[in-house]
Amino acid sequence: MGRHPFFCLWLSSVIITTSTYLVQAVSEPQCQKVAPQQKILDQVRTATISVPGAPFGLAYAKQKGVAFVSLNSKGIGALGVLNTSTFIPSLLHTIALPSANISSTEALGVTLSHNGRLLLIAAGEGAFIIDTAKAISGDSDTVVGTLSHMGNNATAGNAAIEVTLSLHDQYAFVSQEYGPVLGKTRGNVDVFKVHEPTGHILISGTPVGHLDLGYAVVGTALSPDGRTLYAVSEQSSLDKPRGALSVLDVETLKTNPRAAQISNVTAGCGPVRIIVSSDGNTIWITARESNYLLAYNSSKLFTDPSNALLAAVQVGTAPVGLTFARNESRILTADSNRFDRVNATSGLSVVDVEAALKGSNQAVLGRIPTGLFPREFTVSGDKRTILVADFNSQQIQAVDVSSLP
Ligand SMILES: *[C@@H]1O[C@H](CO)[C@@H](O)[C@H](O)[C@H]1NC(C)=O
Ligand SMILES: *[C@@H]1O[C@H](CO)[C@@H](O)[C@H](O)[C@H]1NC(C)=O
Ligand SMILES: *[C@@H]1O[C@H](CO)[C@@H](O)[C@H](O)[C@H]1NC(C)=O
Ligand SMILES: *[C@@H]1O[C@H](CO)[C@@H](O)[C@H](O)[C@H]1NC(C)=O
Ligand SMILES: *[C@@H]1O[C@H](CO)[C@@H](O)[C@H](O)[C@H]1NC(C)=O
Ligand SMILES: *[C@@H]1O[C@H](CO)[C@@H](O)[C@H](O)[C@H]1NC(C)=O
Ligand SMILES: *[C@@H]1O[C@H](CO)[C@@H](O)[C@H](O)[C@H]1NC(C)=O
């Protein structure tokens, strides 16, 4: 009996703690057409190079002083090889991509294998597989294989946009923006087993299966331990503007993709790209139709998804790509303004990560001006330079990381 007052005290402190938590909880942003203007960071050093086509994906090679870019001109894709030994890159050569076996002539997201030997370029049913050494030397036999359905209906899409490889490059997870019938069906993640090259046999992949997610599945990212794949869908259903972030189990994806979803959560309007902190704890996404950068607690995405949102940062208009800089103390978002909103600008928002996670409204340090429709990033091996593809200006912009605020 004598213990009751203590019990009541304990109970009321729990209630107070809970309500304090609720007050501080981060709320998911609404949809927004035009983001407020930000301060321009004119001290940041950048330089641009024009390229023959609209650049989509970028990746530095493991080989020093080289980067790859996917280029599109009148619906025809090509691979551009860049010499990055100087701050302003130069174009070494472009390589045509055969449309064979892939039902597409475009070249979209670009992914380097973990061992650096292969480059995958998302397109159509799957991807082109490029031998990086041959691409650098300008060898005509650069495309060494494809990921395609090969007449098998286990994989479903024909609108591949990004590829993520498993930790040892044995499986490819291809985000299909739309499923089999353009615009009518859900997007999905197609899973391919990637075959190692032997002799002259082309590297190719065996379709394993697919997992249907929401509509317009675009960005995917692997956890650092390789066990989890995160995927975003722009809309969770056709009549709802909110997108979704899905948590997928990699071991299950390899054998039974349809059973691989562990959890999902709504994720602002039109989420399109994902990055994961190197400790695996924080998942960052761009919510393109909210003009927000969102952070999620990865362990809560498993245990308590509806309370996993950690931070919501207003950035510029229609953010697409995002990347860490300066040892993950900064994030840059590629604010694409891809819908050409009146009074909106494109640029790169520079976000202070610590301030963002503390809920500060001063987390955005300003905007770096860019060309039109900045889309995707890549960071050099020495972390000193970031390249961004300005899709609608047909240029690549180099950013000197040491000049970032
Ligand atoms: C890149 O340019 C530098 C300087 O001009 C040159 O030394 C180097 O060989 C070039 N790299 C390639 C891969 O061609
Ligand atoms: C395309 O398919 C044909 C027939 O299935 C095959 O012989 C060829 O190697 C494939 N090409 C590539 C680049 O995978
Ligand atoms: C897909 O393949 C399975 C098994 O081979 C077959 O039963 C099914 O009819 C096929 N579906 C379509 C839509 O072709
Ligand atoms: C989560 O996944 C379930 C099962 O596929 C689906 O019914 C639901 O709509 C998804 N939620 C969101 C927000 O996409
Ligand atoms: C994330 O969630 C875990 C488990 O709920 C918790 O221990 C951790 O403190 C959370 N991290 C942050 C940054 O809130
Ligand atoms: C990067 O940040 C981590 C943790 O914040 C720190 O331990 C590490 O020393 C930093 N590395 C560099 C190169 O600054
Ligand atoms: C654009 O900005 C101008 C000047 O601030 C303002 O007068 C105009 O209404 C804005 N237009 C739209 C469509 O927001």
Side-chain angles (χ1 to χ4, degrees), residues 336-342 344 372 392:
S336 69
N337 188 25
R338 70 164 297 176
F339 305 114
D340 290 322
R341 304 281 189 211
V342 176
L372 301 175
N392 284 355

Side-chain angles (χ1 to χ4, degrees), residues 24 32 42 60 105 136 150 175 179 185 205 229 244 269 274 280 295 308 315 325 335 338 368 402 404:
Q24 291 177 342
Q32 180 192 55
D42 44 21
Y60 274 97
T105 52
I136 293 169
M150 299 161 89
S175 45
T185 55
L229 186 76
C269 301
I274 310 173
V315 292
D335 304 332
R338 70 164 297 176
I368 304 169
S402 69
L404 291 176

Side-chain angles (χ1 to χ4, degrees), residues 131-162:
D131 180 314
T132 54
K134 286 181 175 176
I136 293 169
S137 64
D139 196 308
S140 60
D141 201 17
T142 294
V143 181
V144 291
T146 56
L147 297 180
S148 61
H149 302 168
M150 299 161 89
N152 178 323
N153 69 9
T155 47
N158 187 23
I161 184 155
E162 299 281 332

Side-chain angles (χ1 to χ4, degrees), residues 1 34 46 55 102 111 129 167 180 182 185 194 196-197 221 232 241 268 273 338 341-342 344 364 367 386:
M1 282 297 196
V34 178
T46 72
I102 209 162
T111 305
I129 305 179
L167 222 44
L182 277 183
T185 55
V194 180
E196 283 300 307
V232 281
R273 296 291 189 284
R338 70 164 297 176
R341 304 281 189 211
V342 176
V364 176
R367 172 175 70 90
I386 291 175

